[in-house]
Amino acid sequence: MSSIEVAGATIDTRHYIDGKRVASAATFTNTSPIDGSFLGEIARGGQAEIDLAVAAAKKAFKGWASLGPKGRGEILHRIADLVEANIETLANLETMDNGSLLRSHIRGVMPRVAMNIRFFADWAINDLHHASFETRSHTNNISYDPSGVAALITPWNAPLMLATWKIGPALAAGDTVVLKPAEWTPLSASYFADLTKQAGLPDGVFNVVQGYGREAGAALVAHPDLARISFTGSVPTAKTIARAAADNLTPVSFELGGKSPCIVLEDADLDLAATLAVEQYDNAGQVCLSGTRILVHKNIADAFATKFAEKAALLKQGDPRDLTTDIGPQIHQVHFDRISGFVERAKAEGANIVMGGEANGDLGGLYYRPTLVMNPAAGSEIVTAEVFGPVLCMQTFESDAEAVEMANGTEFGLAAILVSGNRSRADAVAAQLVAGTIWVNCFFVRDLRAPFGGSKKSGIGREGGTWSFDFYADVKNTVVSPNGWKE
Ligand code: NAD
């Protein structure tokens, strides 16, 4: 069977290569995290399918590159139009596949998918210009040329959203693409491939190979014909990919994990601080940039904890298709077990779990209760490792300097949230934090013109605006002499 019905949509379960559907002899099983229901058998690609896809992308490159930013932009806007026309379908599909809230998919995530594509298409047309300048009467002309085939590897926590942070700029830059979606969430990429076809994207410009990371993913990143590898996922996988990329010296862009701090200074608005802290349970804690380490000044810790508990008690856990639900299930049994493993080991070490710390018995399945670990030991696993689930730690500090030291005290540096009532104090603390994004008295304000990415082990490179094109394009300087002209 080459297609399945999910949430009223027909999804092709095969790869999408050179504008055609391609089957594999092997398949893998896809289930819904909502209730464990069987969604379908998905084509399980490997070396052969990757070779086909990269060859198709390589063949299509010259034609796509030659369209220029305007020609490419017209098609990219048509893709965005089709995404907008299919928001309900994409939202329902993604919710069935990854268990994130339908409410968020409809209101925020899927509209942003369309916006991501439009933004980068327009940026390539209007903003990707570097002023020429003179060197001893020679003119330096800087251009952003298409670079070739971009391999895109994406995770399951916001599948299409995160993929289009890469697909948008890669295609706008004139690269052609092979996308390998996460094996736990293969569906929205397949549906999106159909939309690219409907929009008239030339065959071979965008390809999707489904399959496991260790098979399709490994074959893709080791391919010698890639110009770029862009990866969003975990640190261990990034290390494997970096080794594979090294053989071909393929440039990499990595958006990786985090263990971000949410710092509440002594002068913070406690209500705002507690609201922001409780937001860190969003997407059942499966958000790379979550502020999972809540660092609170000792003098306000009790008052803050009371407010936090009041607000957290209002969270409704349940079926993510119910528009009143705040927290859905974890993505997969393997991931659920990983989360509960972290919590059980913390318990065994004597950690004080004041909220949650177990599966939600009323719901069963993959629903893990929002959990708070109070004052875990400094340096313990639960405060240093990324859990990627609804598990927050709360620790106290006695001075701004100590808060900074604790905040910077992990191997990660993706984001930080800082809550303070005093601007100059907030500026001084923010300046000392090592992270790609600092949110002061707010969370998750993301403008595509701004750089996004991680410091330390949280990533290599930045996405957004010209930063994306610095990666996907071949940046070239053509130096033109005033001499030697015959006309
Ligand atoms: P993961 O590293 O297990 O997998 C990510 C992708 O890599 C999947 O498509 C997988 O199939 C593929 N993959 C696995 N092994 C591979 C290999 N050897 N070669 C090539 N590809 C391979 O990560 P995950 O569990 O899917 O996602 C969760 C992680 O992603 C967390 O660490 C989270 O913080 C991170 N993340 C980061 C950002 C960001 O923007 N910084 C955003 C979302 C998620």
Side-chain angles (χ1 to χ4, degrees), residues 165-234:
W165 273 5
K166 302 180 187 302
I167 296 167
L171 293 182
D175 297 356
T176 52
V177 162
V178 178
L179 170 69
K180 207 299 282 172
E183 52 269 47
W184 289 343
T185 52
L187 303 185
S188 55
S190 181
Y191 193 81
F192 181 81
D194 288 339
L195 299 184
T196 66
K197 182 87 175 171
Q198 279 179 50
L201 189 71
D203 291 350
V205 171
F206 176 72
N207 306 273
V208 179
V209 178
Q210 305 281 11
Y212 291 122
R214 61 180 182 275
E215 296 175 357
L220 179 57
V221 296
H223 204 289
D225 289 344
L226 302 181
R228 299 287 185 271
I229 296 171
S230 179
F231 168 73
T232 298
S234 65

Side-chain angles (χ1 to χ4, degrees), residues 94-274:
E94 199 86 294
T95 293
M96 280 305 285
D97 207 14
N98 90 331
S100 298
L101 300 185
L102 180 61
R103 183 180 77 207
S104 312
H105 282 151
I106 291 175
R107 293 185 199 157
V109 176
M110 293 307 163
R112 283 197 81 120
V113 164
M115 200 180 88
N116 291 344
I117 296 163
R118 290 196 199 288
F119 171 87
F120 287 109
D122 290 345
W123 194 271
I125 296 167
N126 303 321
D127 297 278
L128 210 53
H129 303 297
H130 201 296
S132 300
F133 52 89
E134 302 282 309
T135 309
R136 297 189 303 276
S137 305
H138 293 60
T139 309
N140 294 268
N141 293 318
I142 291 152
S143 58
Y144 289 79
D145 292 359
S147 67
V149 179
L152 312 182
I153 308 217
T154 47
W156 43 262
N157 62 321
L160 195 56
M161 227 306 278
L162 292 171
T164 50
W165 273 5
K166 302 180 187 302
I167 296 167
L171 293 182
D175 297 356
T176 52
V177 162
V178 178
L179 170 69
K180 207 299 282 172
E183 52 269 47
W184 289 343
T185 52
L187 303 185
S188 55
S190 181
Y191 193 81
F192 181 81
D194 288 339
L195 299 184
T196 66
K197 182 87 175 171
Q198 279 179 50
L201 189 71
D203 291 350
V205 171
F206 176 72
N207 306 273
V208 179
V209 178
Q210 305 281 11
Y212 291 122
R214 61 180 182 275
E215 296 175 357
L220 179 57
V221 296
H223 204 289
D225 289 344
L226 302 181
R228 299 287 185 271
I229 296 171
S230 179
F231 168 73
T232 298
S234 65
V235 171
T237 306
K239 290 182 182 177
T240 308
I241 292 176
R243 282 184 210 106
D247 271 345
N248 301 305
L249 283 180
T250 313
V252 295
S253 161
F254 287 163
E255 297 283 357
L256 308 178
K259 188 78 179 177
S260 299
C262 173
I263 308 158
V264 185
L265 298 185
E266 196 178 2
D267 58 12
D269 173 333
L270 278 194
D271 199 60
L272 172 67

